[in-house]
Amino acid sequence: ILAAKTAGIAIEDSMSSLLKFQGVKRRLEFKGLHSDVQIYDDFAHHPRAIRLTIDAIKMKYQNKKIITVFEPVSATARSSIFQKEFAASLVKSDQVIIAQSAIQTTAKNQNNLDCDQLVSDIKLAGIDSSCSKDLKQLREEIDRSVENDSVLLVLSNRTCIGLWESEFVNELK
């Protein structure tokens, strides 16, 4: 509001515009219902962003099971840079499904993220976790996991191995 005022926009106009603001795409964007389960999409791909996003969903849905689908697809997310940090962030969920990207990391001097190790680390914390290597596996895991008392949170900065380009989108209410 202060920046707009500095640019000559009346405070009342700024406040009116803010009241109409609907948010930013892919930032905890509600996508619809799948079998009466709320589906959210978020661009989060850094451990800190993942932690904050899961915390926000947990705060909103305190009595629901939080199922997080995470596609590590940015150059650093596909690399081993945040291997341990991803596990520490994702264990805030009640269940985690890793959607493994087929793309190799381009981060210099880094190995690829080890999805099997990530799943093991999450399981060590007592959280159900699995890795889906393709869309068919991912859909099967989602369909197996979602229950009426759950929320599905999809964290990806792409299509989540094709989920957002599949029939899944047409099935949302």
Side-chain angles (χ1 to χ4, degrees):
I1 291 174
L2 288 175
K5 183 178 186 301
T6 303
I9 298 170
I11 290 175
E12 296 78 21
D13 291 340
S14 292
M15 291 172 61
S16 174
S17 294
L18 279 175
L19 290 172
K20 297 174 193 168
F21 182 65
Q22 294 183 359
V24 178
K25 286 279 213 189
R26 305 207 66 199
R27 291 295 180 200
L28 274 182
E29 181 181 356
F30 177 69
K31 298 296 272 188
L33 297 171
H34 174 65
S35 304
D36 297 324
V37 171
Q38 292 89 356
I39 310 294
Y40 284 88
D41 180 33
D42 195 277
F43 194 83
H45 60 279
H46 183 277
R48 193 173 320 124
I50 290 169
R51 184 178 299 114
L52 292 171
T53 302
I54 294 170
D55 283 347
I57 286 291
K58 286 181 85 161
M59 204 164 24
K60 181 171 179 140
Y61 297 101
Q62 294 178 12
N63 298 316
K64 299 246 184 187
K65 174 183 175 184
I66 308 302
I67 303 166
T68 300
V69 175
F70 173 53
E71 180 188 34
V73 76
S74 69
T76 53
R78 292 188 319 261
S79 77
S80 57
I81 293 172
F82 296 121
Q83 183 80 42
K84 291 191 182 313
E85 292 86 347
F86 280 142
S89 296
L90 289 163
V91 298
K92 298 190 118 225
S93 298
D94 298 300
Q95 180 179 345
V96 177
I97 304 167
I98 306 299
Q100 185 173 358
S101 174
I103 305 168
Q104 302 295 305
T105 187
T106 55
K108 289 188 178 199
N109 302 318
Q110 294 297 318
N111 294 320
N112 288 311
L113 180 72
D114 185 336
C115 288
D116 293 328
Q117 183 63 54
L118 184 56
V119 166
S120 293
D121 291 345
I122 293 167
K123 284 182 176 180
L124 275 175
I127 305 299
D128 183 18
S129 184
S130 62
C131 180
S132 296
K133 298 184 190 299
D134 59 39
L135 180 59
K136 183 178 184 282
Q137 273 187 317
L138 179 60
R139 277 306 305 270
E140 288 171 357
E141 193 64 27
I142 288 171
D143 292 341
R144 181 188 70 77
S145 301
V146 295
E147 304 163 352
N148 286 340
D149 67 337
S150 58
V151 174
L152 184 68
L153 174 61
V154 180
L155 305 176
S156 173
N157 64 356
R158 287 212 182 147
T159 67
C160 199
I161 58 176
L163 183 69
W164 294 129
E165 298 171 332
S166 72
E167 277 302 306
F168 180 77
V169 175
N170 297 330
E171 296 169 9
L172 298 180
K173 300 184 244 174

